[in-house]
Amino acid sequence: MTTLTLPDHLMALDARDPLAHKRSEFHLPRGVVYLDGNSLGALPRRVPERVAQVAQGEWGEQLIRSWTAGAEEGRDWMALPDRVAAKIARLIGAAPHEVAVGDSTSVNTFKVLAAALGVAQPGRRIILTDAENFPTDLYVAQGLNALLGGTLELRRVPADDIETHLTDDVAVLLLTQVDYRTGRRLDLKGITAQAQAKGTVTVWDLAHSAGAFPVDLNGAGADFAVGCGYKFLNGGPGAPAFLFAAERHHAQAPVAISGWMGHADPFEMARDFTPAPGARRFVAGTPMVLSLSALDEALDVFADVDMEALRAKSLSLTDTFIELLEPLTARFPLTLVTPLDHARRGSQVSYRHPQAREVMADLIAAGIIGDFRTPDILRFGFTPLYHSHADVWQAARGVQAALEARA
Ligand SMILES: *Cc1c(COP(=O)(O)O)cnc(C)c1O
């Protein structure tokens, strides 16, 4: 059971938190513990001003000149996707020219899946994936298969059995690193190596990884990846997503959505598609300037952040939450589903509860905002940039109160 006042050891952890100063860079509504930054990241304070400036100054005053104006100082709209890509690249262990920004994660999944199939070994037709993968990843694979006349096989197996199913006829392995329900984290490097030993091309969905902990795609030798701009990157609702294509694939990988903004020289208006250098070729259409500007500004919050320190704090926050709730698992039908093993944990903690939907509604009414996920999951996301151990303690007290009120 949690005590009435913040325990000393948690106060001490907050007192020596190297990221404590980052909290002031976010707008956080009063009276709320926001544990849903893994669904929609909180608003970085500098974003509204930037969006207003882009709208009024650049759109309003400069109008079409903004596409090229300020190119020397890096303010032109044309290269905005590339500047945002460079900021994301740093967080995911990629080179800037291996990242393309724009569209949704779903659309980017289509692009990289098509690219991965294009460089996969000839004759292979199996896409291997986690049976519990996020729906959009499964749906996009189904849609691509239908487009290809049903010539592929989407093989769905439990994540723990991936290794046994990685046979040498699998074309592409499509995995989400952190499970959106349980928060279980996969070994990106180890699984990539296993897949490549079988000649299989990897596609990683980093929706709950990018900005949540350090990711090292090139250190893992990963082939392709996608990720989300509005979760741990705090780019705002519907923020542009990103994709990663390892440099060694640029020459061979097909560009399935070969739009003019991925052309080497868009305003040449040539008849045939000549891809731009690097991953820019995957930027299909006109950059979404307003939302890209918000994401660009939001990413600057990470500029001085040591991602190893961020990971250490994330684990400390999730450990603390698990410890505080541990006594409740004996009193209530509350079951931890997030791995205790640090290596296998993302930046969220989830529990099963038979009335999870109702419990989460109670919690949200009490200002503890997490998520309910079907069928019976209570999901709490932790964002080291703006959470303290005091927040974790307050959230744990809220969970206890909600469970006691319902029992
Ligand atoms: C949130 C999420 C997405 C989001 O896809 P959108 O196209 O942005 O809606 C994709 N994959 C996973 C694993 C996610 O958690």
Side-chain angles (χ1 to χ4, degrees):
M1 234 185 302
T2 56
T3 53
L4 280 171
T5 53
L6 181 63
D8 288 346
H9 74 284
L10 297 184
M11 210 183 292
L13 286 173
D14 283 344
R16 57 172 201 267
D17 171 8
L19 295 172
H21 64 289
K22 299 306 288 183
R23 185 186 182 95
S24 65
E25 295 179 34
F26 289 88
H27 172 83
L28 294 164
R30 278 177 198 285
V32 162
V33 181
Y34 187 65
L35 300 173
D36 224 346
N38 53 341
S39 198
L40 174 63
L43 172 67
R45 280 191 192 279
R46 290 165 55 106
V47 166
E49 193 187 322
R50 170 74 181 274
V51 172
Q53 186 252 324
V54 172
Q56 289 161 2
E58 298 178 13
W59 178 13
E61 295 298 323
Q62 288 293 108
L63 284 164
I64 202 161
R65 291 169 288 186
S66 294
W67 284 109
T68 48
E72 307 76 44
E73 310 97 80
R75 285 193 294 106
D76 57 320
W77 290 347
M78 206 60 186
L80 184 56
D82 305 332
R83 292 196 295 275
V84 176
K87 290 180 187 177
I88 294 174
R90 191 181 78 81
L91 301 177
I92 58 172
H97 69 284
E98 294 175 307
V99 178
V101 179
D103 301 318
S104 63
T105 307
S106 302
V107 171
N108 283 303
T109 302
F110 181 90
K111 294 180 197 173
V112 294
L113 206 48
L117 287 165
V119 298
Q121 300 207 357
R124 296 194 186 192
R125 41 178 292 278
I126 297 166
I127 298 175
L128 182 65
T129 191
D130 170 8
E132 300 295 325
N133 203 342
F134 190 77
T136 213
D137 299 62
L138 301 174
Y139 302 162
V140 166
Q142 289 164 7
L144 188 56
N145 186 27
L147 186 67
L148 296 174
T151 50
L152 304 173
E153 180 196 334
L154 183 61
R155 193 170 285 175
R156 289 177 281 196
V157 304
D160 290 339
D161 299 345
I162 288 291
E163 197 175 344
T164 29
H165 287 86
L166 259 178
T167 44
D168 58 13
D169 53 355
V170 175
V172 174
L173 178 64
L174 170 66
L175 289 175
T176 297
Q177 190 189 10
V178 177
D179 183 279
Y180 72 102
R181 282 199 184 97
T182 65
R184 178 275 296 127
R185 184 171 94 143
L186 295 175
D187 174 9
L188 192 147
K189 188 173 187 177
I191 294 174
T192 298
Q194 282 167 19
Q196 290 173 347
K198 301 285 183 184
T200 298
V201 182
T202 53
V203 174
W204 287 98
D205 186 333
L206 303 177
H208 297 275
S209 307
F213 47 78
V215 177
D216 189 4
L217 287 171
N218 280 331
D223 297 288
F224 296 95
V226 295
C228 201
Y230 53 79
K231 291 173 178 161
F232 289 96
L233 299 183
N234 311 307
F242 66 88
L243 67 77
F244 162 86
E247 186 187 65
R248 64 183 177 280
H249 293 309
H250 290 175
Q252 300 303 324
V255 181
I257 307 179
S258 43
W260 73 311
M261 284 291 157
H263 192 280
D265 186 359
F267 290 97
E268 188 194 344
M269 306 285 179
R271 297 288 164 110
D272 291 309
F273 183 71
T274 305
R280 173 76 194 215
R281 70 191 55 201
F282 293 104
V283 175
T286 302
M288 307 147 164
V289 172
L290 294 176
S291 53
L292 266 172
S293 300
L295 177 59
D296 186 44
E297 195 66 41
L299 285 165
D300 283 348
V301 170
F302 285 94
D304 65 345
V305 171
D306 170 359
M307 293 302 284
E308 296 297 339
L310 182 108
R311 174 62 172 165
K313 183 175 171 188
S314 162
L315 289 171
S316 179
L317 295 170
T318 53
D319 274 346
T320 300
F321 191 67
I322 292 170
E323 275 162 32
L324 291 172
L325 260 58
E326 213 280 323
L328 303 179
T329 60
R331 293 172 56 204
F332 302 101
L334 186 71
T335 312
L336 178 70
V337 294
T338 300
L340 287 174
D341 178 2
H342 282 176
R344 299 190 65 236
R345 191 190 306 163
S347 199
Q348 70 175 65
V349 179
S350 300
Y351 293 84
R352 287 192 194 285
H353 187 286
Q355 289 172 289
R357 189 190 293 270
E358 294 78 11
V359 171
M360 186 50 75
D362 293 349
L363 283 171
I364 292 172
I368 314 281
I369 302 184
D371 259 323
F372 161 72
R373 283 289 178 268
T374 56
D376 58 355
I377 298 276
L378 293 164
R379 185 177 88 163
F380 303 93
F382 293 89
T383 311
L385 293 177
Y386 50 79
H387 286 139
S388 62
H389 294 80
D391 293 325
V392 176
W393 178 78
Q394 202 185 324
R397 286 204 352 160
V399 173
Q400 178 175 337
L403 294 176
E404 283 171 351
R406 216 153 245 292

